[in-house]
Amino acid sequence: YEAKQNGLRYCIYDDQLAQKVRDESKLSERFRVALANQELTVHLQPQIDLQTGNCVGAEVLCRWFDEELGSVPPDVFIAIATKQGVLTELGYQVLEKTCALIRKWRERYAFVPVVSVNIGAQQFASLEVVDEFVKISEHLPAQAITFEITESDLMLDPQQALAVTERLRNYGFQLAIDDFGTGYSSLAYLQQFNVDILKIDMSFVQAMTLDEQSKNLVATIIAMARTLNLSTIAEGIETAEQAKLLKDLGCQQGQGYYFARPLSAAEFEQQWLHD
Ligand code: C2E
Ligand code: MG
Ligand code: MG
Ligand code: MG
């Protein structure tokens, strides 16, 4: 009867819950070790000038491959790192690896694309993070690096975000708002944050060739960016049609599987850099 049924159901649920907790704590423990051993790597996705087709930038995307668990997606391990309070440490490791690559490229290649590094809200809890970025990137011109911050992360604590973005800009780093259109920033904030680039979220890019309204929305974002003197990068371009439409609307750059997937550093060098 009722009580017993509930009791039984509760038992099953409890069991699944226990398994879930075990999986999560395993993942969390493996991640702790991977970070301590500096096992995370970085991949690079080309950012293409839509007018010329040239690669003018590259976004750094963190990767974690675990012997037992296989490759764990960044959305999962970034959440773990955030929960463990170590996103700042992860960010330093990513920037160190990135700067090592840029240094190597500057010695070897005639043209080196601007490199974009993602940072999350937890990383700008303190202003000293910016000074550490400067230390890690020493001897490199700040303009060689762009930091990407998602619109929703910027809006978590706009006052703090404002202080950090100002400091980053004072050092000469470029700033991009990532996943633009999915958060809730106001035009007033957009102007205050003083960023250089808007990255149009892939949900709009992928919808724009399917419905007129999304197309108009993207056109409006690009026009607004132009008014504010910002350049635009469209994310998640998967078809020639999307690339063409974005170019015609005046979007400067694009990235997505249509041009290239995120690549290992070796693949990126081989395919996209030349003497
Ligand atoms: P994001 O910064 O918006 O990066 C774009 C994501 O879209 C990447 O997923 C990329 O692989 C994927 N992508 C690129 N082109 C296409 C396409 O044409 N179609 C589709 N469907 N997807 C495409 P990824 O590598 O899984 O990264 C997910 C998110 O994890 C990133 O979103 C970023 O927010 C975060 N992330 C990655 N690396 C780092 C890092 O080093 N630090 C921080 N704080 N966050 C990171
Ligand atoms: Mg990004
Ligand atoms: Mg994005
Ligand atoms: Mg994203």
Side-chain angles (χ1 to χ4, degrees):
Y1 60 116
E2 195 58 12
K4 198 166 187 177
Q5 254 179 12
N6 275 341
L8 190 63
R9 213 179 294 140
Y10 190 71
C11 263
I12 293 166
Y13 175 69
D14 221 28
D15 220 40
Q16 284 174 346
L17 187 68
Q19 184 59 43
K20 210 174 155 225
V21 169
R22 272 197 300 278
D23 290 350
E24 265 179 32
S25 67
K26 165 129 195 180
L27 202 60
S28 184
E29 193 40 44
R30 305 277 308 181
F31 177 76
R32 216 183 281 282
V33 174
L35 189 69
N37 294 340
Q38 311 228 6
E39 285 170 27
L40 304 185
T41 59
V42 295
H43 273 201
L44 298 138
Q45 186 177 39
Q47 296 175 318
I48 306 298
D49 180 323
L50 293 174
Q51 289 295 331
T52 65
N54 293 331
C55 170
V56 289
E59 177 174 7
V60 174
L61 294 158
C62 190
R63 294 289 179 261
W64 174 30
F65 179 83
D66 179 88
E67 289 296 336
E68 251 179 78
L69 306 164
S71 117
V72 182
D75 288 326
V76 172
F77 69 78
I78 294 293
I80 294 175
T82 305
K83 206 166 166 186
Q84 291 180 354
V86 296
L87 191 63
T88 301
E89 173 55 29
L90 179 148
Y92 292 151
Q93 289 187 21
V94 167
L95 189 61
E96 272 158 19
K97 294 203 158 89
T98 302
C99 290
L101 283 174
I102 303 175
R103 287 193 184 95
K104 182 172 101 178
W105 294 345
R106 285 168 64 88
E107 281 179 13
R108 287 195 196 163
Y109 302 100
F111 173 78
V112 177
V114 177
V115 178
S116 286
V117 175
N118 291 285
I119 53 174
Q122 202 173 73
Q123 289 171 268
F124 44 87
S126 134
L127 281 175
E128 271 110 74
V129 167
V130 179
D131 304 317
E132 192 60 30
F133 288 170
V134 172
K135 255 188 237 163
I136 293 172
S137 62
E138 67 175 349
H139 304 314
L140 288 176
Q143 310 89 269
I145 302 168
T146 298
F147 287 102
E148 295 189 6
I149 308 171
T150 66
E151 187 187 19
S152 33
D153 272 15
L154 271 178
M155 296 310 291
L156 280 178
D157 182 350
Q159 269 340 96
Q160 179 66 13
L162 213 56
V164 172
T165 52
E166 207 168 280
R167 194 152 170 137
L168 282 166
R169 278 192 57 107
N170 283 342
Y171 278 113
F173 295 114
Q174 307 253 94
L175 288 172
I177 301 190
D178 205 349
D179 302 351
F180 183 76
T182 61
Y184 296 93
S185 61
S186 65
L187 280 173
Y189 269 122
L190 260 190
Q191 222 165 5
Q192 279 188 60
F193 281 130
N194 212 353
V195 299
D196 307 278
I197 300 159
L198 284 192
K199 295 192 74 177
I200 305 168
D201 191 69
M202 69 170 91
S203 56
F204 302 113
V205 170
Q206 296 182 348
M208 70 184 292
T209 43
L210 306 174
D211 69 90
E212 192 71 10
Q213 209 176 350
S214 300
K215 187 181 130 183
N216 294 338
L217 192 60
V218 171
T220 304
I221 294 175
I222 294 168
M224 179 198 70
R226 195 178 297 121
T227 306
L228 293 170
N229 242 322
L230 308 177
S231 71
T232 41
I233 302 181
E235 307 188 85
I237 299 177
E238 293 185 354
T239 68
E241 193 192 358
Q242 291 161 355
K244 166 93 169 55
L245 190 51
L246 285 157
K247 181 183 128 190
D248 292 344
L249 290 173
C251 179
Q252 277 97 348
Q253 291 179 39
Q255 58 184 113
Y257 298 166
Y258 171 64
F259 301 109
R261 293 190 171 249
L263 304 165
S264 70
E267 290 169 319
F268 180 79
E269 287 164 19
Q270 203 198 355
Q271 293 170 31
W272 294 93
L273 300 179
H274 353 249
D275 317 291

